[in-house]
Amino acid sequence: MTVTPLGIPRRMLEFTLDGEEARVPEGSTILDACRAAGKDVPTLCEGDTLRPKNACRVCVVEVEGARTLVPACSRKAEPGMEVRTDTERARHSRKVVLELLASSVDLSTTPKVAGWLKEYEAKPDRFGPDAARLNEEPKVDNDLYVRDYDKCILCYKCVDACGDQWQNSFAISVAGRGFDARIAVEHDAPLTDSACVYCGNCIEVCPTGALSFKSEFDMRAAGTWDESAQTETTTVCAYCGVGCNLTLHVQDNEIVKVTSPHDNPVTHGNLCIKGRFGYQHVQNRD
Amino acid sequence: MDLHFGDSKPTDEERAAVDALLGPPESSWEGADRSDADLRWARGGREARDRRDLLLPGLHAVNDRIGWISEGALDYLCRRLTVPPAEAYGVATFYAMFSVKPRPATVLHVCTDLACAAAGAPELCAGIETRLGLGSGVSVERSPCLGLCERAPAALAIKAGDPVRTAVSAPATVEEAVLAAGSPGSAPEEPPAALAVPQAGQDGLMLLHRVGVVDPSSLDDYRAHGGYTALRRAFELGPAGVIREVTDSGLVGRGGAAFPTGRKWQATASQPDRPHYLVCNADESEPGTFKDRVLMEGDPYALIEAMTIAGYATGAHRGYLYLRGEYPRALHLLEHAIGQARARGLLGDDVLGQGYAFDIEIRRGAGAYICGEETALFNSIEGYRGEPRSKPPFPVEKGLFGKPTVENNVETLVNVLPILTMGAPAYAAIGTGRSTGPKLFCVSGSVMRPGVYEVPFGATLGDVLTLAGVREGLRAVLLGGAAGGFVRADELDVPLTFEGTREAGTTLGSGVVMAFDDSVPLPRLLLRIAEFFRDESCGQCVPCRVGTVRQEEALHRIVERTGADAAGDIALLREVGRAMRDASICGLGQTAWNAVESAIDRLGAYE
Ligand code: SF4
Ligand code: SF4
Ligand code: SF4
Ligand code: FES
Ligand code: FES
């Protein structure tokens, strides 16, 4: 059973969205309003369980009177605002941002991005064959998960999930700056030397597959990863009494990874090491 | 928060450097040896966490003493402050002046930025590197503008130790720079700040009138030259009265954004949330800008008095002076001046016996242009990476430590003194309708007398260049620094006001006037500007982090090309530039393409 928490009733505010009246509860973002109106605004760094970091800038929209474009994911709707989501100006920025990203990192495992590249007619190749790329080797330093920063768009979601927003382990952070900025543990050490407790909450929020289960990483390398052949079953974790929800991803009768429903009011998608990674006993058939 | 610390240990010297700042640790929870009491009693926790803002000073302490920051030193500092090591590592690697890899105790920063490049920095660097090869015990680092452009080319030597020693060589020769790096302690003294003010001692100066006239280390001398009359007047007027005067004077911020200062003060003063903070932005890092340095070195008490007035008006009892890490002389003079002011009751619990408490703390930056952005500056003071925050909320509401904060740069604050002594109407009568008062310009490059010039708003670019004695063969002038724009040699009648430059399709920015004659290869200059922004991008948002890289690559490709051969890459530059201007989080990404665009459109670079 999913419990929907009832908040205090909020006042509604009115503003214009692409020329039409929109009514949203006070405190909503422009993105909330867009989604309610069925408009498709691309997002990458926005996370449903995290405070918006608004770093990727693919969700920018035009607000009447603002000098620059504004990120829909974090800007709150204000009464009387005039917002346009699909102008040439906004589309141009989204297109260039997608090109900049796709030309510098590997987006092959980022859901939806292929569609957006097509929709915005982005041509990441036009920066030439010598365009600088991240060129990071995957960091495989423990048995549970792999950090492949060649796919990292620096959305900060994993840092926020590991830090003060959920896990409070503060095992990872952004180091360096500019194009050289990377997610790292202290002294750029292996994960095993860090404060990581292997809750996997960073994997849960990573939008690009830069962080992935070792099982998924190995299967992808072996060419056996097949999402279409997987089933998902949500159940309750059996380890302790908290009652966290687990979603088991099963392929060929094997659990290949574990996620957790984000709309669960107890866990919001977060788990501990046992719920996230402790599934081998289930499939230990000898 | 359950922090995990590695087992790297600090050396005795590293420990001493940290303890000199924070005092000795009181328990094993903070990094001391374990005592019996520690088994029963845990302390530190919240109390230590409240000192997170000492992270940057702590990193400086280690870097100053050792020259770099080792794992053991960083971990020890983290223990003392209850800061997660991963976060502290992220902070330490954000700043250009820190190193987390071993390096020699002496670092020689050689400026390769615009004015210095035009004055022969590439040859200087090459010469220095030949002389100081491997094993010399000096690490030579190419640096962005050191704020010494009037004496280009410039070099700054920093030798770690207790105390840390610094020496400036400018204009630098290979010999002098090598000498300065070899023994910074015995290098020849820098010329006084007044030498950067060709007008020094002239009548009619309002902001620079004491530079070269007073002894910057003497409070009495400052008072004998009119010091502290403005503060007395402020106390007569009361906070609301001061804000009224500043509003009526028409003063707008001199940092580039040109926001009305009185409105900002009023907005902060009226916030119910307490405490209020005052922040003086002295992180002058715009290439070509050195006026704040000259003001601070030539008349440091003026800034302290102005900060006290601003604090009084806005209801702040604490002011932070965020000073560029590359300004050692300004640091010493200001530290001394603050100490004197405190000893004489001009700072502290009861300023001038008026029952108003105010004190100033200096925080040093560590080599990051972005920390001049106001919200990045707050993050930097608080001990986080100097990444800009997204606005809203605005600083007047939630600024430093999440509290209402008023932030002004040095030049803006110093303007408050004449406003109070002469009165708002007299001040507002100077300049033009929308741009009132005097304005400082940093003139450098191909001129006979480079330096800081004070002129009333309304003077033209030509007027300022005439004062500085422009050399033959002027090709272009860069207005407003790397984030500004180029104008042609035939556009010298542009009035140097906010509205005048806007009308002419350019910007006043921070008051940079950098002249280039036709001996300077323009494409190299543009490449240097692009490199600067790529280097200084904080990396937070995609348009700026990747856009600056793609622009630099395109400029590299067309360095020797023109016309049709360059057209494709120029189109690319425009498209990327437009997205950077529209979609970047902060002003750095939004303006990074301005100067190059103006060079293409106004100067016809690559035609
Ligand atoms: S697994 Fe958990 S503790 Fe480890 S880095 Fe990810 S979020 Fe942090
Ligand atoms: S690893 Fe994933 S979650 Fe972390 S910053 Fe990179 S893309 Fe975002
Ligand atoms: S525009 Fe550049 S400097 Fe500003 S937040 Fe974005 S990446 Fe950082
Ligand atoms: S999704 Fe809005 S900025 Fe990234
Ligand atoms: S000091 Fe070298 S350009 Fe300013």
Side-chain angles (χ1 to χ4, degrees), chain A residues 31 42-46 53-60 71-74:
Chain A
L31 184 67
T43 59
L44 281 169
C45 71
E46 182 261 349
K53 179 70 188 166
N54 61 65
C56 79
R57 318 304 275 187
V58 292
C59 69
V60 285
C73 63
S74 63

Side-chain angles (χ1 to χ4, degrees), chain B residues 481-503:
Chain B
F486 285 96
V487 296
R488 288 188 307 273
D490 61 4
E491 294 180 297
L492 300 188
D493 53 355
V494 190
L496 295 178
T497 56
F498 294 110
E499 60 276 17
T501 44
R502 200 177 315 125
E503 236 166 74

Side-chain angles (χ1 to χ4, degrees), chain A residues 145 158 161-162 167 169 171-172 191 195-203:
Chain A
Y145 78 97
C158 55
C162 184
Q167 185 60 23
S169 283
I172 46 176
L191 203 63
C196 178
V197 297
Y198 302 95
C199 62
N201 294 334
C202 52
I203 312 172

Side-chain angles (χ1 to χ4, degrees), chain A residues 6-236:
Chain A
L6 292 175
I8 350 163
R10 288 185 291 171
R11 264 182 302 173
M12 302 297 279
L13 61 83
E14 284 175 23
F15 71 107
T16 341
L17 192 58
D18 290 332
E20 283 170 24
E21 281 302 310
R23 275 169 58 83
V24 290
E26 223 175 27
S28 305
T29 62
I30 295 174
L31 184 67
D32 294 333
C34 289
R35 288 186 172 158
K39 287 183 196 298
D40 178 35
V41 176
T43 59
L44 281 169
C45 71
E46 182 261 349
D48 53 354
T49 62
L50 296 160
R51 278 198 296 277
K53 179 70 188 166
N54 61 65
C56 79
R57 318 304 275 187
V58 292
C59 69
V60 285
V61 297
E62 212 169 326
V63 171
E64 187 73 29
R67 191 172 42 87
T68 58
L69 299 174
V70 309
C73 63
S74 63
R75 182 62 61 86
K76 298 257 190 302
E78 288 163 32
M81 219 180 208
E82 278 183 47
V83 179
R84 299 194 179 274
T85 64
D86 212 30
T87 59
E88 188 274 331
R89 196 175 158 206
R91 291 185 67 92
H92 173 81
S93 277
R94 287 185 208 154
K95 170 187 129 166
V96 172
V97 163
L98 287 165
E99 287 175 334
L100 292 173
L101 274 179
S103 65
S104 53
V105 298
D106 169 11
L107 295 179
S108 61
T109 49
T110 307
K112 293 203 198 151
V113 99
W116 294 331
L117 288 170
K118 203 174 281 155
E119 182 193 337
Y120 288 93
E121 294 170 21
K123 298 193 184 53
D125 293 343
R126 69 190 178 119
F127 300 118
D130 298 330
R133 295 185 60 89
L134 252 58
N135 286 332
E136 294 279 321
E137 287 298 315
K139 291 185 194 295
V140 190
D141 52 14
N142 66 85
D143 290 337
L144 301 183
Y145 78 97
V146 176
R147 302 176 290 157
D148 185 1
Y149 292 133
D150 201 39
K151 295 178 170 172
C152 173
I153 60 167
L154 227 58
C155 69
Y156 290 65
K157 277 192 203 171
C158 55
V159 176
D160 289 345
C162 184
D164 64 346
Q165 294 191 33
W166 293 114
Q167 185 60 23
N168 268 283
S169 283
F170 300 91
I172 46 176
S173 161
V174 180
R177 76 172 182 219
F179 197 72
D180 294 329
R182 298 285 189 276
I183 305 291
V185 312
E186 66 268 30
H187 321 305
D188 211 4
L191 203 63
T192 44
D193 288 354
S194 76
C196 178
V197 297
Y198 302 95
C199 62
N201 294 334
C202 52
I203 312 172
E204 182 78 47
V205 296
C206 180
T208 63
L211 306 177
S212 68
F213 276 65
K214 178 87 166 29
S215 47
E216 173 173 348
F217 181 82
D218 289 344
M219 287 172 76
R220 279 186 190 275
T224 55
W225 181 259
D226 181 5
E227 230 146 276
S228 64
Q230 292 171 8
T231 57
E232 292 177 19
T233 312
T234 298
T235 176
V236 174

Side-chain angles (χ1 to χ4, degrees), chain B residues 370 388 536-541 544-545 584-590:
Chain B
I370 188 58
E536 298 293 346
S537 165
C538 82
Q540 201 180 191
C541 64
C544 174
R545 178 177 76 235
S584 295
I585 294 181
C586 84
L588 187 149
Q590 290 159 11

